[in-house]
Amino acid sequence: MAKLKLEIHQNAYEVFEIKEKISLGRELANDIILLDGIISRTHALVYRDEDKYIVEDLNSSNGVYINGEKVLVHTLEDNDVIQIGKTVLSFSLDKMEDPQVIIDLVAVPLEGFSSKRMIEAPDVLFRFPSETEIMEQVYEIAQEKFDILDGLTGLEKGKLFNILHEAVGNAQRHGHKYESNLPIEFRYLVKPDKLIMEITDQGDGFNYHSELRDKEGISAVEAARKRYLEGGIGGLGIILMLACVDELEYNSLGNQITLTKRFHKEESPSPALV
């Protein structure tokens, strides 16, 4: 999946999938609206041309820059940095294949699947109803998957379990409003250098912009205290997630969150002193 990533908070990104084309500019009709006075109303277009992705300057006043160089038309490569006015986006060719294993607990109860396969498979998509009892079963499997994971400390694994619980719980509470018939999807994908967890609900989306803006510069404890004083509960979610992972991504609708945690690199042994 080709996508544009717009950083909306440190290590937090809004992700736009490029299906055919995406327009960028100040006008509200654009797919990505950039409220910057030096950006033109219709500033640039990113589009697919067979197996290539092209960015084109639409006769803007201040141009389009790729990796610091001004361009009119440019074929994008993975990790290219696009600058439009003061806004910086990155282009990503995320080559995620279809899941190796699909555990559909909407169609078949947990007992119908091999526990060994669920736990040991590095790439699993769990699909399950928004029912607390079934969610707890998924959490137990996830805990076992964390336990056999290399490259992370026990404390880090515990934190990942907590934010998975938070993300799936948010899908049940806020995304589905406790409608148990609506399925939640949780993909657990281990790559050589990182763990990716992707949680998707069927709701109308989440206003992560305002949540991030409200919690700018405060800790998880301060966020929870602020929410409590306002008469609510919670307030830990996003801040907790950002503290535990290296990268957090929301899709543009706000009903899918992707959490990425990189593994520790093995350090080469120090040379012996002679």
Side-chain angles (χ1 to χ4, degrees), residues 39-57:
I39 290 177
S40 300
R41 286 191 302 248
T42 52
H43 197 108
L45 185 68
V46 176
Y47 59 91
R48 181 176 180 175
D49 182 10
E50 295 182 352
D51 60 343
K52 298 179 180 178
Y53 292 87
I54 314 294
V55 60
E56 181 178 347
D57 185 348

Side-chain angles (χ1 to χ4, degrees), residues 103 110-121 126 141 144-145:
I103 308 298
L110 187 66
E111 293 75 17
F113 298 95
S114 162
S115 59
K116 179 179 173 65
R117 190 179 186 209
M118 284 188 289
I119 293 166
E120 295 184 356
F126 295 93
I141 297 166
E144 294 190 64
K145 293 181 74 64

Side-chain angles (χ1 to χ4, degrees), residues 132-200:
T132 301
E133 183 178 349
I134 298 178
M135 289 163 56
E136 291 294 337
Q137 293 177 332
V138 174
Y139 295 145
E140 289 179 14
I141 297 166
Q143 181 67 74
E144 294 190 64
K145 293 181 74 64
F146 289 137
D147 287 343
I148 64 170
L149 192 62
D150 293 326
L152 297 175
T153 67
L155 179 60
E156 287 171 324
K157 293 175 184 180
K159 289 179 178 179
L160 288 175
F161 180 79
N162 288 337
I163 64 173
L164 171 63
H165 201 287
E166 181 77 19
V168 173
N170 284 341
Q172 180 197 40
R173 293 187 299 273
H174 306 302
H176 293 169
K177 307 293 192 295
Y178 292 99
E179 291 187 36
S180 61
N181 61 306
L182 294 176
I184 298 170
E185 292 187 352
F186 160 47
R187 185 171 182 181
Y188 180 103
L189 173 60
V190 178
K191 290 195 172 186
D193 61 335
K194 60 191 173 185
L195 168 67
I196 299 172
M197 297 192 297
E198 185 178 87
I199 297 92
T200 309

Side-chain angles (χ1 to χ4, degrees), residues 4 7 15 43-45 69 71-72 104 150 154 162 199 203 223 228 246 252-253:
L4 293 177
E7 189 168 18
V15 176
H43 197 108
L45 185 68
E69 295 187 8
V71 301
L72 294 177
D104 191 347
D150 293 326
N162 288 337
I199 297 92
Y228 174 77
D246 296 294
S252 55
L253 179 60

Side-chain angles (χ1 to χ4, degrees), residues 4 6 16-34 39-48 54-58 64 82 84 89:
L4 293 177
L6 174 63
F16 302 86
E17 182 180 354
I18 308 169
K19 295 179 179 178
E20 293 300 328
K21 61 181 181 179
I22 288 182
S23 60
L24 304 94
R26 205 174 67 247
E27 200 169 68
L28 296 180
N30 287 289
D31 299 303
I32 301 180
I33 302 165
L34 304 174
I39 290 177
S40 300
R41 286 191 302 248
T42 52
H43 197 108
L45 185 68
V46 176
Y47 59 91
R48 181 176 180 175
I54 314 294
V55 60
E56 181 178 347
D57 185 348
L58 300 178
V64 174
I82 306 169
I84 299 175
L89 305 100

Side-chain angles (χ1 to χ4, degrees), residues 1 3 78 92-100 121-124 145 149-152 187-198 249 258-264:
M1 176 184 75
K3 57 190 180 182
D78 194 27
S92 173
L93 279 172
D94 190 353
K95 299 176 182 178
M96 284 181 65
E97 307 293 338
D98 292 336
Q100 294 176 359
D123 184 5
V124 186
K145 293 181 74 64
L149 192 62
D150 293 326
L152 297 175
R187 185 171 182 181
Y188 180 103
L189 173 60
V190 178
K191 290 195 172 186
D193 61 335
K194 60 191 173 185
L195 168 67
I196 299 172
M197 297 192 297
E198 185 178 87
E249 298 177 5
T258 303
L259 303 161
T260 300
K261 178 66 177 178
R262 296 188 183 89
F263 301 138
H264 304 299

